[in-house]
Amino acid sequence: MDSGGPYSTHVRYTDGREEYIMTPVAYNPGDIITVVKKKDGSYVVGLAQ
Amino acid sequence: MTAVSVYAAGSYLVAFNSASIKRSASNLITTAQIQAPLNILSNIQADDEVAIEVDRVVLFHGVAADWTLNYSGGNTSISIPCVDLSYKLTHMVVHPTDVTTYTSGTDIGAIIYALLADTGIDRSHINQATGITLDEDYEVGPGTMRMAVIQDLTKKYNSLFYLSYGKIGATFKTFGEFDTYDSMAASGEFATEHTITDANTPIFSLGIKNQPDMICTRVIVIRDNAGVQEIGTATAGAAPYLDKVVNVNVNDTTDIDDLAAEYLANFTRNIAKLDLSFHNLAVGLFNVVDLSAVCAVLGVTLPLMEFRVTDLDYSISASGIITKTTGVDPDTELWDQAVREQAGEQTVANVVQAEAEYQAEEAKPVYAVVVA
C-alpha cells in the first residue's frame, strides 16, 4: 500500500456495480475493502482483511 | 400581565405547572411538554388535541403523545410530551403499495398540497401555482413517508416548507406554509417584526457570536452532470481565500457563477448569530426582532440591529413566558439547507452525534473488491 494519493481506485461491489472512488492510498487489485458513503458525498474506505 | 392558556382534549386547563416548547428552523418537527397536577390531565389520551396560547398568539398546536406520571413530595403530577402535526407527515405514507409518479411539469406547490391531504393540516396557505415545476417525472416508491417527499422536493427545488399555528374562531389550526422563498419572505411570519425594549420585555441575557464555519471569502460551486463537472467561483476581497465548496443540484439550471455569487452572499450574511433570552413577548419562528431600541438604552451599536428568529425555546408558566431565541441576519435566505442548519442549533456536538447516528443507521459499510 503506497501513500501520496489521492488515487482513483476502480472497485466492484458485491452486487456487480462498479465505480471509481478517490482514496488516499493505493490499493492492490484483489484487495477486499469496505466503503462507507457519507451524506456529504465523501467516502470512508478501509481494508477489510 | 401576560395571558397564558393551555388547551388540551377539548377544554382549557384550569391549572398547569409549566409548559415548554422547542421550535427550530433547522427541524420541521416542533415538540412541547406540559406539566400539570394529575387530576387536571388525567383525561388526556394520546392523539388528543393540544394547544398553547400566549396573549392570543398560538405558539403550539399538535397532539399529545404518551405521558409520564410523577410522584414527589406528596403530590402527583403528570407530564405530557406533545408533538405538532408534522408527526402525521412522518407517519403517513404516500401510497402503501404502489409507486406514485408526479409527471414532469407539475407545480411543486400542487404536490405539497396533495401530500397534506387527510393530515389535519390546513392547506389554505399552500401556493399551488408557485411556477416552480418538476423538470422530470418524479417517482415515489411504495411505503415512502410524506415528510420524506416534502423534504426531498424542497431541497431539490430550493424552497421552504414549514408549519404555523393559528386560531379561527374557537378552532385551533395548523397551517402548512409553502411558497417560493421570495413570496414567503414578503408576508406572514417573515414580515412580523417585534421591537425589543428593556421596558416592554425584561431581557435576561443577550449575546451575539459569529459563526466561523460560515466565514468564507471564496465559494466554489460544483454542478456534476453525469460526470461532467461545471464549476463556478465567486470571491470577496483579495487572495488568499478561505474556501467553501458547495455541490449544487443538477436540476438547478441557474448560471453557475450567479449561483456561486448567491451562495457567497448568503454565507457571509450568516456570520452573526444572536442569542437572546427575554420575558413576556411571544415571538414566532421566522419573525424579526429589532434590537435598536434596547441598544440605544445600553449605548451600544451593533453591526446588525435586526435578526430573524431561527430557534425558539419557550418556558411558560401561568404568570408569563420566557423566550430563548437565536437569530440570523434577516436577509439570509433560509432555503439553503447548509445555511438553515448553521442558523439552527447545529452545534459541533450535534453534528458529530447526527453523523454517528447516520453512520450507524444508514451508512453501513459495503464490501467491494479492487479491480485493475
Side-chain angles (χ1 to χ4, degrees):
Chain A
M1 208 189 291
D2 306 315
S3 61
Y7 297 93
S8 177
T9 304
H10 185 186
V11 300
R12 183 186 298 127
Y13 296 103
T14 44
D15 61 3
R17 210 158 37 85
E18 293 186 12
E19 77 179 329
Y20 288 89
I21 55 180
M22 300 305 286
T23 53
V25 294
Y27 292 101
N28 296 319
D31 283 350
I32 305 292
I33 56 170
T34 59
V35 181
V36 180
K37 289 198 178 186
K38 291 171 62 173
K39 223 187 312 191
D40 62 3
S42 63
Y43 303 95
V44 178
V45 177
L47 204 53
Q49 292 154 314
Chain B
M1 176 75 184
T2 311
V4 181
S5 50
V6 175
Y7 176 93
S11 62
Y12 286 95
L13 301 184
V14 291
F16 68 97
N17 300 344
S18 66
S20 60
I21 307 170
K22 257 187 175 316
R23 192 153 159 74
S24 168
S26 57
N27 186 354
L28 263 175
I29 299 165
T30 299
T31 54
Q33 179 104 21
I34 301 168
Q35 274 89 30
L38 177 61
N39 56 347
I40 300 290
L41 283 182
S42 54
N43 59 332
I44 293 181
Q45 304 295 318
D47 213 31
D48 276 348
E49 186 182 21
V50 171
I52 299 171
E53 209 180 343
V54 174
D55 275 345
R56 288 175 299 285
V57 177
V58 182
L59 294 183
F60 178 81
H61 177 232
V63 292
D66 49 356
W67 47 262
T68 315
L69 186 70
N70 307 305
Y71 179 80
S72 87
N75 283 314
T76 312
S77 69
I78 194 166
S79 59
I80 297 200
C82 310
V83 63
D84 73 352
L85 294 184
S86 57
Y87 184 82
K88 305 271 181 187
L89 294 174
T90 52
H91 290 81
M92 284 169 80
V93 296
V94 179
H95 198 284
T97 52
D98 295 344
V99 173
T100 309
T101 305
Y102 298 100
T103 51
S104 171
T106 310
D107 199 287
I108 312 294
I111 300 175
I112 304 267
Y113 188 88
L115 289 170
L116 296 188
D118 305 323
T119 55
I121 298 169
D122 189 291
R123 300 189 281 178
S124 60
H125 291 191
I126 304 286
N127 183 357
Q128 294 184 70
T130 57
I132 309 172
T133 55
L134 289 181
D135 50 13
E136 58 182 53
D137 283 3
Y138 183 82
E139 283 189 355
V140 178
T144 308
M145 293 298 170
R146 298 180 186 199
M147 180 70 101
V149 179
I150 293 176
Q151 281 177 326
D152 190 43
L153 283 175
T154 50
K155 193 175 172 193
K156 232 179 210 161
Y157 293 93
N158 281 343
S159 48
L160 187 63
F161 172 83
Y162 70 98
L163 298 178
S164 70
Y165 318 117
K167 199 176 173 188
I168 294 177
T171 311
F172 289 101
K173 293 281 229 182
T174 293
F175 297 99
E177 305 277 353
F178 181 80
D179 208 331
T180 59
Y181 193 83
D182 287 342
S183 309
M184 224 172 215
S187 64
E189 309 220 29
F190 280 77
T192 306
E193 193 167 320
H194 302 274
T195 302
I196 310 248
T197 67
D198 213 20
N200 71 1
T201 43
I203 291 179
F204 297 135
S205 72
L206 167 64
I208 291 173
K209 61 180 173 191
N210 72 346
Q211 291 284 303
D213 275 354
M214 277 296 173
I215 301 175
C216 55
T217 53
R218 178 168 62 186
V219 171
I220 302 160
V221 176
I222 302 172
R223 180 160 49 204
D224 190 327
N225 193 350
V228 180
Q229 289 193 331
E230 204 185 340
I231 297 175
T233 56
T235 58
Y241 297 111
L242 290 171
D243 292 325
K244 192 162 180 72
V245 181
V246 184
N247 287 303
V248 296
N249 186 347
V250 66
N251 295 322
D252 192 337
T253 53
T254 317
D255 181 84
I256 196 83
D257 288 320
D258 289 352
L259 270 179
E262 216 170 286
Y263 273 99
L264 179 67
N266 223 359
F267 288 140
T268 47
R269 268 188 209 121
N270 201 29
I271 56 173
K273 185 171 159 184
L274 167 81
D275 279 296
L276 178 64
S277 163
F278 51 87
H279 198 219
N280 281 353
L281 182 65
V283 172
L285 192 64
F286 299 128
N287 287 176
V288 172
V289 291
D290 183 347
L291 299 174
S292 50
V294 71
C295 288
V297 174
L298 299 173
V300 291
T301 308
L302 301 175
L304 203 58
M305 292 290 196
E306 292 188 337
F307 288 87
R308 181 167 323 282
V309 172
T310 53
D311 276 299
L312 280 168
D313 199 336
Y314 302 104
S315 308
I316 301 162
S317 68
S319 60
I321 176 168
I322 295 170
T323 310
K324 272 191 217 153
T325 166
T326 61
V328 295
D329 186 333
D331 289 334
T332 309
E333 296 194 13
L334 293 167
W335 48 256
D336 183 70
Q337 189 83 8
V339 170
R340 217 156 58 222
E341 281 168 5
Q342 195 73 17
E345 51 185 13
Q346 293 290 83
T347 60
V348 173
N350 285 351
V351 171
V352 170
Q353 192 192 348
E355 186 61 39
E357 282 168 6
Y358 172 77
Q359 295 284 359
E361 281 302 313
E362 292 184 62
K364 294 198 173 67
V366 288
Y367 290 102
V369 61
V370 177
V371 290

